[in-house]
Amino acid sequence: MLRTHTCGQLNISNLGETVTLCGWVQKSRDLGGTTFIDVRDRYGLTQLVLNTESDAGLREAGRELGREFVIKVTGKVLERSNKNTKIPTGGIEIAVTELEVLNAAKIPPFLIEDETDGGEELRAKYRYLDLRRNPIRNNLVLRHKMAQEIRRYLSDLDFIEVETPVLIKSTPEGARDFVVPSRMNAGEFYALPQSPQTFKQLLMVSGFDRYFQIVKCFRDEDLRADRQPEFTQIDCELSFITQEDILNIFEGLTRHLFRNVKNLELGDFPRMQYADAMRLYGSDKPDTRFGMQFVEVSDIVKGKNFGVFDNAELVVGINAKGCANYTRKQIDELTEWLKRPQIGATGLIYARHNEDGTIKSSVDKFFNEEELAKWQAAFETEPGDLILLLAGQTDKVRKQLNELRLEIGSRLGLRDKNKFSPLWVLDFPLLEWDEETGRYHAMHHPFTSPKPEDIALLDTDPKNVRANAYDLVINGTEIGGGSIRIHDRELQSLMFKHLGFSAEEAQKQFGFLMDAFEYGAPPHGGIAFGFDRLASIFAGLDSIRDVIAFPKNNSGRDVMIDSPSTIAEAQMNELKIKTVVS
Amino acid sequence: MLRTHTCGQLNISNLGETVTLCGWVQKSRDLGGTTFIDVRDRYGLTQLVLNTESDAGLREAGRELGREFVIKVTGKVLERSNKNTKIPTGGIEIAVTELEVLNAAKIPPFLIEDETDGGEELRAKYRYLDLRRNPIRNNLVLRHKMAQEIRRYLSDLDFIEVETPVLIKSTPEGARDFVVPSRMNAGEFYALPQSPQTFKQLLMVSGFDRYFQIVKCFRDEDLRADRQPEFTQIDCELSFITQEDILNIFEGLTRHLFRNVKNLELGDFPRMQYADAMRLYGSDKPDTRFGMQFVEVSDIVKGKNFGVFDNAELVVGINAKGCANYTRKQIDELTEWLKRPQIGATGLIYARHNEDGTIKSSVDKFFNEEELAKWQAAFETEPGDLILLLAGQTDKVRKQLNELRLEIGSRLGLRDKNKFSPLWVLDFPLLEWDEETGRYHAMHHPFTSPKPEDIALLDTDPKNVRANAYDLVINGTEIGGGSIRIHDRELQSLMFKHLGFSAEEAQKQFGFLMDAFEYGAPPHGGIAFGFDRLASIFAGLDSIRDVIAFPKNNSGRDVMIDSPSTIAEAQMNELKIKTVVS
């Protein structure tokens, strides 16, 4: 090795040893006839000392080192007079006797320090420099540890990691598939998997019993906030199990990870029906770090000649604890915020429960004291609280109030990144009406099984068919979701029929899976976690981008390597394709 | 859970317990009033007993079960009178009291047994059934264990697994790149990585120090024997190391795997110069399970008026121990075999060292007894041995003799699949002349560093520049290869120049890497193992196909899912591409 130790290794027990270190110059400072240099590697920082008295030439060479120069130094470990107790190597320093520059460095375009002065664009372009910074590197070390612990937990439970193919088949459902032209089969394309779903189900048919994979998946979609065209899933599937088994095993995985990676014991994993989540939080992924549940008050508020309420399908609100002191201006701002197109609320009604016990609403001309007392009772307000109400079409108003609840929760400091509140959301609807295509879509995917008692509703009341489907939510973020699958050809065909497939289309696209179901498919189910998201939660980050070594930007571009890019005419000719960009 | 135990779990210690098992009907047989059924899962086989006396209806239901039906049974664990000592559950059987068919099965298209009657095509189409067979499933379990041990070994040595992107940039060098049209960036393409080479080097520039990844890579090439368009690499890179360190660490990894997965202690890892490997074995990946090294005899055999030898650049042969009894017909067949276009030898000269001590050659009219005695001495033959000689242009004749040596080794039973002979091949040439393009190519890749003492030869004698490059060979198969990389911008530019890049092209394609070298790149190097190949060696298989769950065929097709396939016009329109297949 070029070095005897890393820059994070030496301490008082090494006094007197002659050592060789390699690393990057973090900073240097002169103090009289002495130069102090901090040399850095992944493992830590060590202080080097060069002074004129012992070797003037060497000291001069040390003074000429720039930030981020790569050096190799040999010297003796000495005790520091001025100890730095904040770092493990802070008790010692190296009296350098040999210094070699392994590589010079230009001045970096931004500071390689925990707090940097580089903007997002610049850091993306020089990602390899940004990755030198401790906070970013630590995220990836954390991610590595998580992956190790995930594999350990699952392997100990007899799960086998099996690699499924990346070059698979495009499906008409797969409007968001990336496709790959085949040279050997000109005119034909592979697709990159949005998930290994059908393959993991086939592995169950094969009797693998317990499968997992930490695997890259791909989706060519408009990159809304914090999506990546390639992302990583923790993909799992099991045979001969019930939903209850799956919830327990993956609650166990989550606990294991928090315990072994974050040294944290999680509390309960409560379970909530999808319908309740929507009713109480207006979301299928409620942030349960705080309460502030929805209170539906249509019954109380209707019939008082206030058109906004009377014409609404639902009037629902929250109790913003302690917010009665919001000024009119603050409330107006909140109203404007709610009216933005992303949220689209039409107005906000409020009532203050004042410190003097009175209740004062924005609609006092319709609601007298007695009426407002009913509001107080419904929201269980105390003096100082603020009732915020929205009215409108049920689905929309719930969605809007969800945004408002999260906003108020943030303002009240109720969304602590160091608190973790897991929640299972159960019994999702099987189908979801798609306005755009005018037909039902599978809410999870077409392989999710309906609850047996709801199958009859498929014909009469499709939107109320519940699925054996579940999501794991932490702090308002869906980190995993899965279902008990269909393992019966007939039921799978029925499902495709209800999704608008003709029998021929279904056979053409998924015939291999339905055929497989006829050769002895076991009951099975599974779950997939978004690993990027999970890692970002562990790292306390809002974005997944900094738990990914080389992420793409919002346009799906890697600005460091400048990709995607045009390709040579000759290559397109070989692939028998042409671009038709106008 | 649906079951209390697996089918491989119960034994004499469970006697009297009431248990529930789930699995597949392997076979059943009737014996008087009793039906015995073997139920199978991934973990093993358990015998079920149903008899008319205790429950005639149940027994009848049992008789109706077909092969591969998925069942759930409950019953009591009894001691077997007729024990099967070959399987762990062979001491017990289950007296069934409840039987449920979880899924029926059609008659499988081939036998789901260790030895099957299914042809390759049929098994590929029903891969999910082939995967049920023990030998195939065991390969994947083995592969899983190998992956676990690889990760454990490397993580314990401070390697961090980092995921590098799958959607990267195509390069003109990357004629074998799969490309992916981008919808968001119409007219532009990503490429799938043939290896994460540049990214792992950037991680070194970032100070990650020790990186690894078990990662899918892609190459769109004609699938010669036993290649796959997608394959898996164990990809590793280290900073501040020497070649010696890398050889030791990865010799350690290989030993660790053999020890922990195959319970086998490997012997020495000898090291051989590339030049010696070519001279002694005619191959850069010699099978060293047996000797039979080449002997060059040009000096001895030339000048005897035998044109074939006199006009040859090289006359070289092997001593086929104990093969003097080969008949003329056998040798003629061998000669024909050598003349096939794949090998292309023009003729085979031989000499028998007979049991009576005489030496008799196929060219006796040119070589007298005295001359043949020199042959004997050169090849150190003993009575019963056969000298086989080829003559011609050095590179070609070595290649041909390599084939012959392997063939003779196989015939002599010297290539035992249970014997493992590792070898490091060192000091590969940096460059390789490419007849087709009329220029030099990088033998490994353009990032491999030349030996410092050979850099001067780049201008004068490029083909004799040696690289800091090494391959690990086991039993004649290259399982890993790597190099110490260039970490200096100037040297990297020089390298691109010698590979025929203009400065502009080099900057356009690899500017990001060369720029990175200017910001403090540490000395670094690495290695990549072919995981599929390594697993196939561990499994004792000739082909990598059966250590891959869902492999593609020789035309790059997945015949199970019928991929690649055409895609919808609408999807091509969205991607702004057209196929131009005539």
Side-chain angles (χ1 to χ4, degrees), chain A residues 333-359:
Chain A
E333 278 167 5
L334 213 50
T335 308
E336 288 311 308
W337 181 85
L338 280 164
K339 284 183 178 169
R340 292 175 314 148
Q342 301 98 301
I343 301 182
T346 48
L348 176 66
I349 289 102
Y350 63 91
R352 290 197 180 85
H353 192 154
N354 295 315
E355 294 293 349
D356 64 8
T358 60
I359 299 179

PDB file of all heavy atoms in Angstrom, chain A residues 333-359:
ATOM      1  N   GLU A 333     -52.947  35.423   3.437  1.00  0.00           N
ATOM      2  CA  GLU A 333     -51.830  34.784   2.728  1.00  0.00           C
ATOM      3  C   GLU A 333     -52.048  33.281   2.577  1.00  0.00           C
ATOM      4  O   GLU A 333     -51.777  32.682   1.545  1.00  0.00           O
ATOM      5  CB  GLU A 333     -50.510  35.035   3.471  1.00  0.00           C
ATOM      6  CG  GLU A 333     -49.897  36.393   3.159  1.00  0.00           C
ATOM      7  CD  GLU A 333     -48.773  36.759   4.132  1.00  0.00           C
ATOM      8  OE1 GLU A 333     -48.417  35.905   4.985  1.00  0.00           O
ATOM      9  OE2 GLU A 333     -48.276  37.891   4.036  1.00  0.00           O
ATOM     10  N   LEU A 334     -52.539  32.699   3.663  1.00  0.00           N
ATOM     11  CA  LEU A 334     -52.825  31.272   3.648  1.00  0.00           C
ATOM     12  C   LEU A 334     -53.895  30.967   2.591  1.00  0.00           C
ATOM     13  O   LEU A 334     -53.816  29.972   1.862  1.00  0.00           O
ATOM     14  CB  LEU A 334     -53.322  30.859   5.036  1.00  0.00           C
ATOM     15  CG  LEU A 334     -52.984  29.468   5.566  1.00  0.00           C
ATOM     16  CD1 LEU A 334     -51.513  29.162   5.450  1.00  0.00           C
ATOM     17  CD2 LEU A 334     -53.434  29.368   7.028  1.00  0.00           C
ATOM     18  N   THR A 335     -54.886  31.860   2.518  1.00  0.00           N
ATOM     19  CA  THR A 335     -55.948  31.679   1.536  1.00  0.00           C
ATOM     20  C   THR A 335     -55.396  31.750   0.121  1.00  0.00           C
ATOM     21  O   THR A 335     -55.724  30.927  -0.733  1.00  0.00           O
ATOM     22  CB  THR A 335     -57.034  32.769   1.738  1.00  0.00           C
ATOM     23  OG1 THR A 335     -57.422  32.761   3.103  1.00  0.00           O
ATOM     24  CG2 THR A 335     -58.251  32.491   0.871  1.00  0.00           C
ATOM     25  N   GLU A 336     -54.518  32.728  -0.102  1.00  0.00           N
ATOM     26  CA  GLU A 336     -53.898  32.851  -1.428  1.00  0.00           C
ATOM     27  C   GLU A 336     -53.085  31.601  -1.761  1.00  0.00           C
ATOM     28  O   GLU A 336     -53.106  31.087  -2.864  1.00  0.00           O
ATOM     29  CB  GLU A 336     -52.995  34.103  -1.493  1.00  0.00           C
ATOM     30  CG  GLU A 336     -53.760  35.418  -1.523  1.00  0.00           C
ATOM     31  CD  GLU A 336     -54.878  35.409  -2.556  1.00  0.00           C
ATOM     32  OE1 GLU A 336     -54.606  35.077  -3.738  1.00  0.00           O
ATOM     33  OE2 GLU A 336     -56.050  35.698  -2.182  1.00  0.00           O
ATOM     34  N   TRP A 337     -52.359  31.137  -0.745  1.00  0.00           N
ATOM     35  CA  TRP A 337     -51.528  29.938  -0.904  1.00  0.00           C
ATOM     36  C   TRP A 337     -52.397  28.748  -1.320  1.00  0.00           C
ATOM     37  O   TRP A 337     -52.043  27.959  -2.188  1.00  0.00           O
ATOM     38  CB  TRP A 337     -50.799  29.679   0.430  1.00  0.00           C
ATOM     39  CG  TRP A 337     -49.887  28.502   0.448  1.00  0.00           C
ATOM     40  CD1 TRP A 337     -48.581  28.461   0.048  1.00  0.00           C
ATOM     41  CD2 TRP A 337     -50.215  27.180   0.907  1.00  0.00           C
ATOM     42  NE1 TRP A 337     -48.073  27.210   0.234  1.00  0.00           N
ATOM     43  CE2 TRP A 337     -49.053  26.397   0.756  1.00  0.00           C
ATOM     44  CE3 TRP A 337     -51.363  26.585   1.441  1.00  0.00           C
ATOM     45  CZ2 TRP A 337     -49.007  25.042   1.114  1.00  0.00           C
ATOM     46  CZ3 TRP A 337     -51.327  25.250   1.797  1.00  0.00           C
ATOM     47  CH2 TRP A 337     -50.161  24.493   1.631  1.00  0.00           C
ATOM     48  N   LEU A 338     -53.581  28.683  -0.704  1.00  0.00           N
ATOM     49  CA  LEU A 338     -54.504  27.586  -1.019  1.00  0.00           C
ATOM     50  C   LEU A 338     -55.106  27.725  -2.415  1.00  0.00           C
ATOM     51  O   LEU A 338     -55.547  26.741  -3.009  1.00  0.00           O
ATOM     52  CB  LEU A 338     -55.640  27.551   0.002  1.00  0.00           C
ATOM     53  CG  LEU A 338     -55.343  26.885   1.349  1.00  0.00           C
ATOM     54  CD1 LEU A 338     -56.401  27.267   2.373  1.00  0.00           C
ATOM     55  CD2 LEU A 338     -55.282  25.367   1.192  1.00  0.00           C
ATOM     56  N   LYS A 339     -55.147  28.940  -2.919  1.00  0.00           N
ATOM     57  CA  LYS A 339     -55.776  29.173  -4.219  1.00  0.00           C
ATOM     58  C   LYS A 339     -54.831  28.915  -5.385  1.00  0.00           C
ATOM     59  O   LYS A 339     -55.249  28.923  -6.538  1.00  0.00           O
ATOM     60  CB  LYS A 339     -56.288  30.623  -4.299  1.00  0.00           C
ATOM     61  CG  LYS A 339     -57.573  30.857  -3.509  1.00  0.00           C
ATOM     62  CD  LYS A 339     -58.066  32.293  -3.676  1.00  0.00           C
ATOM     63  CE  LYS A 339     -59.371  32.528  -2.928  1.00  0.00           C
ATOM     64  NZ  LYS A 339     -59.716  33.962  -2.870  1.00  0.00           N
ATOM     65  N   ARG A 340     -53.538  28.717  -5.088  1.00  0.00           N
ATOM     66  CA  ARG A 340     -52.586  28.450  -6.173  1.00  0.00           C
ATOM     67  C   ARG A 340     -53.063  27.248  -6.990  1.00  0.00           C
ATOM     68  O   ARG A 340     -53.685  26.332  -6.451  1.00  0.00           O
ATOM     69  CB  ARG A 340     -51.191  28.157  -5.616  1.00  0.00           C
ATOM     70  CG  ARG A 340     -50.521  29.358  -4.960  1.00  0.00           C
ATOM     71  CD  ARG A 340     -49.207  28.928  -4.338  1.00  0.00           C
ATOM     72  NE  ARG A 340     -49.405  27.681  -3.583  1.00  0.00           N
ATOM     73  CZ  ARG A 340     -48.507  26.733  -3.429  1.00  0.00           C
ATOM     74  NH1 ARG A 340     -47.316  26.864  -3.973  1.00  0.00           N
ATOM     75  NH2 ARG A 340     -48.781  25.645  -2.725  1.00  0.00           N
ATOM     76  N   PRO A 341     -52.735  27.239  -8.294  1.00  0.00           N
ATOM     77  CA  PRO A 341     -53.259  26.151  -9.140  1.00  0.00           C
ATOM     78  C   PRO A 341     -52.877  24.755  -8.614  1.00  0.00           C
ATOM     79  O   PRO A 341     -53.634  23.814  -8.765  1.00  0.00           O
ATOM     80  CB  PRO A 341     -52.602  26.416 -10.499  1.00  0.00           C
ATOM     81  CG  PRO A 341     -51.976  27.758 -10.433  1.00  0.00           C
ATOM     82  CD  PRO A 341     -51.919  28.206  -9.027  1.00  0.00           C
ATOM     83  N   GLN A 342     -51.696  24.629  -7.993  1.00  0.00           N
ATOM     84  CA  GLN A 342     -51.285  23.321  -7.478  1.00  0.00           C
ATOM     85  C   GLN A 342     -52.263  22.786  -6.445  1.00  0.00           C
ATOM     86  O   GLN A 342     -52.363  21.587  -6.231  1.00  0.00           O
ATOM     87  CB  GLN A 342     -49.918  23.389  -6.785  1.00  0.00           C
ATOM     88  CG  GLN A 342     -48.779  23.862  -7.656  1.00  0.00           C
ATOM     89  CD  GLN A 342     -48.494  25.343  -7.452  1.00  0.00           C
ATOM     90  OE1 GLN A 342     -49.397  26.176  -7.664  1.00  0.00           O
ATOM     91  NE2 GLN A 342     -47.280  25.663  -7.055  1.00  0.00           N
ATOM     92  N   ILE A 343     -52.950  23.704  -5.744  1.00  0.00           N
ATOM     93  CA  ILE A 343     -53.881  23.253  -4.709  1.00  0.00           C
ATOM     94  C   ILE A 343     -55.316  23.502  -5.155  1.00  0.00           C
ATOM     95  O   ILE A 343     -56.142  22.602  -5.119  1.00  0.00           O
ATOM     96  CB  ILE A 343     -53.563  23.944  -3.358  1.00  0.00           C
ATOM     97  CG1 ILE A 343     -52.113  23.603  -2.949  1.00  0.00           C
ATOM     98  CG2 ILE A 343     -54.562  23.502  -2.294  1.00  0.00           C
ATOM     99  CD1 ILE A 343     -51.690  24.169  -1.626  1.00  0.00           C
ATOM    100  N   GLY A 344     -55.598  24.716  -5.556  1.00  0.00           N
ATOM    101  CA  GLY A 344     -56.870  24.987  -6.211  1.00  0.00           C
ATOM    102  C   GLY A 344     -58.090  25.142  -5.309  1.00  0.00           C
ATOM    103  O   GLY A 344     -59.220  24.950  -5.745  1.00  0.00           O
ATOM    104  N   ALA A 345     -57.855  25.514  -4.058  1.00  0.00           N
ATOM    105  CA  ALA A 345     -59.016  25.758  -3.186  1.00  0.00           C
ATOM    106  C   ALA A 345     -59.665  27.084  -3.593  1.00  0.00           C
ATOM    107  O   ALA A 345     -59.026  27.956  -4.168  1.00  0.00           O
ATOM    108  CB  ALA A 345     -58.568  25.806  -1.737  1.00  0.00           C
ATOM    109  N   THR A 346     -60.964  27.210  -3.311  1.00  0.00           N
ATOM    110  CA  THR A 346     -61.643  28.441  -3.714  1.00  0.00           C
ATOM    111  C   THR A 346     -61.717  29.446  -2.574  1.00  0.00           C
ATOM    112  O   THR A 346     -61.842  30.643  -2.807  1.00  0.00           O
ATOM    113  CB  THR A 346     -63.054  28.131  -4.218  1.00  0.00           C
ATOM    114  OG1 THR A 346     -63.691  27.255  -3.276  1.00  0.00           O
ATOM    115  CG2 THR A 346     -63.016  27.456  -5.574  1.00  0.00           C
ATOM    116  N   GLY A 347     -61.621  28.986  -1.343  1.00  0.00           N
ATOM    117  CA  GLY A 347     -61.676  29.930  -0.239  1.00  0.00           C
ATOM    118  C   GLY A 347     -61.457  29.225   1.074  1.00  0.00           C
ATOM    119  O   GLY A 347     -61.528  27.989   1.157  1.00  0.00           O
ATOM    120  N   LEU A 348     -61.147  30.022   2.078  1.00  0.00           N
ATOM    121  CA  LEU A 348     -60.870  29.454   3.397  1.00  0.00           C
ATOM    122  C   LEU A 348     -61.774  30.141   4.409  1.00  0.00           C
ATOM    123  O   LEU A 348     -61.836  31.369   4.465  1.00  0.00           O
ATOM    124  CB  LEU A 348     -59.391  29.689   3.750  1.00  0.00           C
ATOM    125  CG  LEU A 348     -58.897  29.254   5.125  1.00  0.00           C
ATOM    126  CD1 LEU A 348     -58.955  27.732   5.277  1.00  0.00           C
ATOM    127  CD2 LEU A 348     -57.450  29.742   5.350  1.00  0.00           C
ATOM    128  N   ILE A 349     -62.494  29.356   5.149  1.00  0.00           N
ATOM    129  CA  ILE A 349     -63.331  29.901   6.228  1.00  0.00           C
ATOM    130  C   ILE A 349     -62.656  29.567   7.542  1.00  0.00           C
ATOM    131  O   ILE A 349     -62.107  28.473   7.701  1.00  0.00           O
ATOM    132  CB  ILE A 349     -64.747  29.306   6.165  1.00  0.00           C
ATOM    133  CG1 ILE A 349     -65.482  29.888   4.946  1.00  0.00           C
ATOM    134  CG2 ILE A 349     -65.535  29.627   7.426  1.00  0.00           C
ATOM    135  CD1 ILE A 349     -65.556  28.980   3.801  1.00  0.00           C
ATOM    136  N   TYR A 350     -62.718  30.531   8.469  1.00  0.00           N
ATOM    137  CA  TYR A 350     -62.010  30.271   9.725  1.00  0.00           C
ATOM    138  C   TYR A 350     -62.837  30.768  10.907  1.00  0.00           C
ATOM    139  O   TYR A 350     -63.755  31.572  10.757  1.00  0.00           O
ATOM    140  CB  TYR A 350     -60.634  30.938   9.732  1.00  0.00           C
ATOM    141  CG  TYR A 350     -60.670  32.443   9.650  1.00  0.00           C
ATOM    142  CD1 TYR A 350     -60.705  33.215  10.810  1.00  0.00           C
ATOM    143  CD2 TYR A 350     -60.666  33.088   8.415  1.00  0.00           C
ATOM    144  CE1 TYR A 350     -60.748  34.589  10.742  1.00  0.00           C
ATOM    145  CE2 TYR A 350     -60.715  34.455   8.340  1.00  0.00           C
ATOM    146  CZ  TYR A 350     -60.756  35.220   9.503  1.00  0.00           C
ATOM    147  OH  TYR A 350     -60.826  36.573   9.439  1.00  0.00           O
ATOM    148  N   ALA A 351     -62.470  30.275  12.059  1.00  0.00           N
ATOM    149  CA  ALA A 351     -63.087  30.752  13.294  1.00  0.00           C
ATOM    150  C   ALA A 351     -62.032  30.725  14.381  1.00  0.00           C
ATOM    151  O   ALA A 351     -61.369  29.716  14.575  1.00  0.00           O
ATOM    152  CB  ALA A 351     -64.278  29.880  13.678  1.00  0.00           C
ATOM    153  N   ARG A 352     -61.906  31.873  15.035  1.00  0.00           N
ATOM    154  CA  ARG A 352     -60.926  31.969  16.124  1.00  0.00           C
ATOM    155  C   ARG A 352     -61.603  31.633  17.451  1.00  0.00           C
ATOM    156  O   ARG A 352     -62.659  32.151  17.770  1.00  0.00           O
ATOM    157  CB  ARG A 352     -60.379  33.395  16.248  1.00  0.00           C
ATOM    158  CG  ARG A 352     -59.493  33.822  15.126  1.00  0.00           C
ATOM    159  CD  ARG A 352     -58.699  35.059  15.580  1.00  0.00           C
ATOM    160  NE  ARG A 352     -57.817  35.526  14.517  1.00  0.00           N
ATOM    161  CZ  ARG A 352     -58.192  36.350  13.547  1.00  0.00           C
ATOM    162  NH1 ARG A 352     -59.428  36.806  13.511  1.00  0.00           N
ATOM    163  NH2 ARG A 352     -57.329  36.712  12.617  1.00  0.00           N
ATOM    164  N   HIS A 353     -60.991  30.781  18.227  1.00  0.00           N
ATOM    165  CA  HIS A 353     -61.415  30.603  19.610  1.00  0.00           C
ATOM    166  C   HIS A 353     -60.511  31.494  20.455  1.00  0.00           C
ATOM    167  O   HIS A 353     -59.374  31.149  20.741  1.00  0.00           O
ATOM    168  CB  HIS A 353     -61.281  29.124  20.019  1.00  0.00           C
ATOM    169  CG  HIS A 353     -61.947  28.794  21.321  1.00  0.00           C
ATOM    170  ND1 HIS A 353     -62.408  27.529  21.618  1.00  0.00           N
ATOM    171  CD2 HIS A 353     -62.247  29.563  22.398  1.00  0.00           C
ATOM    172  CE1 HIS A 353     -62.932  27.539  22.833  1.00  0.00           C
ATOM    173  NE2 HIS A 353     -62.853  28.758  23.326  1.00  0.00           N
ATOM    174  N   ASN A 354     -61.047  32.665  20.769  1.00  0.00           N
ATOM    175  CA  ASN A 354     -60.200  33.676  21.405  1.00  0.00           C
ATOM    176  C   ASN A 354     -59.871  33.308  22.838  1.00  0.00           C
ATOM    177  O   ASN A 354     -60.542  32.481  23.467  1.00  0.00           O
ATOM    178  CB  ASN A 354     -60.902  35.039  21.366  1.00  0.00           C
ATOM    179  CG  ASN A 354     -61.055  35.515  19.916  1.00  0.00           C
ATOM    180  OD1 ASN A 354     -60.110  35.420  19.134  1.00  0.00           O
ATOM    181  ND2 ASN A 354     -62.257  35.962  19.576  1.00  0.00           N
ATOM    182  N   GLU A 355     -58.825  33.975  23.337  1.00  0.00           N
ATOM    183  CA  GLU A 355     -58.387  33.703  24.707  1.00  0.00           C
ATOM    184  C   GLU A 355     -59.493  34.030  25.708  1.00  0.00           C
ATOM    185  O   GLU A 355     -59.583  33.428  26.774  1.00  0.00           O
ATOM    186  CB  GLU A 355     -57.124  34.516  25.037  1.00  0.00           C
ATOM    187  CG  GLU A 355     -55.894  34.119  24.224  1.00  0.00           C
ATOM    188  CD  GLU A 355     -55.371  32.717  24.537  1.00  0.00           C
ATOM    189  OE1 GLU A 355     -55.812  32.097  25.523  1.00  0.00           O
ATOM    190  OE2 GLU A 355     -54.509  32.234  23.762  1.00  0.00           O
ATOM    191  N   ASP A 356     -60.359  34.983  25.359  1.00  0.00           N
ATOM    192  CA  ASP A 356     -61.451  35.339  26.275  1.00  0.00           C
ATOM    193  C   ASP A 356     -62.619  34.364  26.177  1.00  0.00           C
ATOM    194  O   ASP A 356     -63.663  34.573  26.756  1.00  0.00           O
ATOM    195  CB  ASP A 356     -61.927  36.774  25.996  1.00  0.00           C
ATOM    196  CG  ASP A 356     -62.532  36.912  24.591  1.00  0.00           C
ATOM    197  OD1 ASP A 356     -62.719  35.855  23.907  1.00  0.00           O
ATOM    198  OD2 ASP A 356     -62.807  38.040  24.174  1.00  0.00           O
ATOM    199  N   GLY A 357     -62.476  33.310  25.392  1.00  0.00           N
ATOM    200  CA  GLY A 357     -63.523  32.301  25.330  1.00  0.00           C
ATOM    201  C   GLY A 357     -64.511  32.503  24.203  1.00  0.00           C
ATOM    202  O   GLY A 357     -65.222  31.577  23.826  1.00  0.00           O
ATOM    203  N   THR A 358     -64.545  33.704  23.623  1.00  0.00           N
ATOM    204  CA  THR A 358     -65.472  33.933  22.521  1.00  0.00           C
ATOM    205  C   THR A 358     -64.980  33.248  21.261  1.00  0.00           C
ATOM    206  O   THR A 358     -63.780  32.988  21.113  1.00  0.00           O
ATOM    207  CB  THR A 358     -65.606  35.439  22.219  1.00  0.00           C
ATOM    208  OG1 THR A 358     -64.303  35.935  21.863  1.00  0.00           O
ATOM    209  CG2 THR A 358     -66.136  36.183  23.431  1.00  0.00           C
ATOM    210  N   ILE A 359     -65.911  32.970  20.376  1.00  0.00           N
ATOM    211  CA  ILE A 359     -65.552  32.406  19.083  1.00  0.00           C
ATOM    212  C   ILE A 359     -65.993  33.358  18.001  1.00  0.00           C
ATOM    213  O   ILE A 359     -67.135  33.822  17.982  1.00  0.00           O
ATOM    214  CB  ILE A 359     -66.197  31.024  18.905  1.00  0.00           C
ATOM    215  CG1 ILE A 359     -65.683  30.104  20.001  1.00  0.00           C
ATOM    216  CG2 ILE A 359     -65.877  30.452  17.523  1.00  0.00           C
ATOM    217  CD1 ILE A 359     -66.251  28.713  19.980  1.00  0.00           C
TER     218      ILE A 359
END
